[in-house]
Amino acid sequence: EAGVAQSPRYKIIEKRQSVAFWCNPISGHATLYWYQQILGQGPKLLIQFQNNGVVDDSQLPKDRFSAERLKGVDSTLKIQPAKLEDSAVYLCASSFWPWAGQGTDTQYFGPGTRLTVL
Amino acid sequence: AQTVTQSQPEMSVQEAETVTLSCTYDTSENNYYLFWYKQPPSRQMILVIRQEAYKQQNATENRFSVNFQKAAKSFSLKISDSQLGDTAMYFCAFMNRTDSWGKLQFGAGTQVVVTP
């Protein structure tokens, strides 16, 4: 079974530029998460999709961050314009469905994208 | 809001020895899950072990076991017979089953270094 795919693995941009990250979850997984992991910290949830609908984006800086999951499969996270403090690893995770039974809410993570903003 | 605290920034252990990582959490909820995730240098988060709060029995997965103390809100991870491949960041995480859709709240992590 293929895991969660993310691209690119690394990205370096200048501040005020825009950047986009792509995530393809495990086949059949309805739930998709984007986390931001700043160096030395644990991941923090930015946004969560259930199929193609947003169920939690309370910690997403909506003035500069946006995300979509149009067909309920893969997802794109965009930052425009980027700030120095956006330098972090962006992790995508997926799970089958919350609360459908033991283990179905286990989150599987992709390899992440390391973003450096200069 | 829930908080997860990992008070040990780094732990060093020799191969074949045992190391215990501590985690405490703060919540007023009664229905939740706890997890330990491993993040090697490749950055890919890997689930190590999970514990449902309603279960009194401590979870085990091969060389990994937890000591879950619900009243004390403590959830420690024991790695037995440590191997070089266990070198990684270890994150404790909390999932509230009452009012969230499976969101994980992570601690700051503990770096484990296994030496020959």
Side-chain angles (χ1 to χ4, degrees), chain A residues 53-101:
Chain A
V54 176
V55 296
D56 188 342
D57 63 356
S58 56
Q59 298 194 82
L60 186 74
K62 298 180 185 66
D63 57 334
R64 298 182 300 105
F65 285 65
S66 65
E68 60 183 14
R69 193 185 185 199
L70 292 176
K71 296 182 179 179
V73 181
D74 56 350
S75 175
T76 302
L77 176 70
K78 297 179 181 177
I79 308 175
Q80 182 179 10
K83 293 185 175 181
L84 296 177
E85 58 260 37
D86 298 332
S87 293
V89 174
Y90 290 84
L91 296 167
C92 179
S94 71
S95 65
F96 180 71
W97 190 274
W99 325 144

Side-chain angles (χ1 to χ4, degrees), chain A:
Chain A
E1 179 183 82
V4 177
Q6 288 188 249
S7 67
R9 291 295 310 275
Y10 303 89
K11 190 73 177 180
I12 301 174
I13 62 173
E14 301 278 336
K15 61 182 179 184
R16 290 188 290 273
Q17 286 186 324
S18 63
V19 64
F21 313 126
W22 174 82
C23 172
N24 191 34
I26 292 173
S27 178
H29 280 194
T31 314
L32 186 146
Y33 310 80
W34 282 103
Y35 290 88
Q36 180 192 57
Q37 185 178 18
I38 293 171
L39 185 64
Q41 299 181 16
K44 179 186 79 172
L45 180 72
L46 291 176
I47 189 167
Q48 178 182 348
F49 292 93
Q50 198 66 26
N51 293 313
N52 60 351
V54 176
V55 296
D56 188 342
D57 63 356
S58 56
Q59 298 194 82
L60 186 74
K62 298 180 185 66
D63 57 334
R64 298 182 300 105
F65 285 65
S66 65
E68 60 183 14
R69 193 185 185 199
L70 292 176
K71 296 182 179 179
V73 181
D74 56 350
S75 175
T76 302
L77 176 70
K78 297 179 181 177
I79 308 175
Q80 182 179 10
K83 293 185 175 181
L84 296 177
E85 58 260 37
D86 298 332
S87 293
V89 174
Y90 290 84
L91 296 167
C92 179
S94 71
S95 65
F96 180 71
W97 190 274
W99 325 144
Q102 188 171 4
T104 59
D105 51 8
T106 297
Q107 294 183 29
Y108 297 88
F109 285 79
T113 297
R114 182 181 297 279
L115 173 67
T116 302
V117 182
L118 302 175

Side-chain angles (χ1 to χ4, degrees), chain B:
Chain B
Q2 292 82 27
T3 58
V4 179
T5 302
Q6 294 179 250
S7 58
Q8 305 150 313
E10 183 166 334
M11 300 281 285
S12 183
V13 60
Q14 287 192 315
E15 263 188 302
E17 298 295 309
T18 296
V19 64
T20 300
L21 312 181
S22 66
C23 172
T24 58
Y25 57 95
D26 184 24
T27 184
S28 58
E29 301 294 336
N30 198 46
N31 187 9
Y32 54 88
Y33 292 165
L34 293 163
F35 303 82
W36 280 98
Y37 275 88
K38 166 185 177 180
Q39 188 177 43
S42 67
R43 299 199 305 265
Q44 188 135 13
M45 298 280 276
I46 302 164
L47 178 65
V48 175
I49 201 165
R50 63 183 281 154
Q51 174 80 42
E52 288 83 354
Y54 62 86
K55 290 186 177 178
Q56 291 187 333
Q57 186 172 6
N58 289 323
T60 62
E61 284 290 340
N62 300 314
R63 298 181 294 106
F64 299 88
S65 61
V66 298
N67 183 5
F68 174 48
Q69 301 290 325
K70 190 172 182 179
K73 296 179 182 175
S74 171
F75 183 60
S76 62
L77 175 70
K78 184 170 77 172
I79 306 174
S80 304
D81 186 26
S82 297
Q83 301 175 359
L84 294 177
D86 294 333
T87 293
M89 281 290 285
Y90 286 79
F91 291 95
C92 178
F94 175 98
M95 180 190 289
N96 179 5
R97 286 213 58 186
T98 303
D99 63 357
S100 76
W101 283 73
K103 178 173 75 174
L104 288 171
Q105 183 77 33
F106 287 89
T110 296
Q111 176 68 50
V112 172
V113 178
V114 182
T115 57

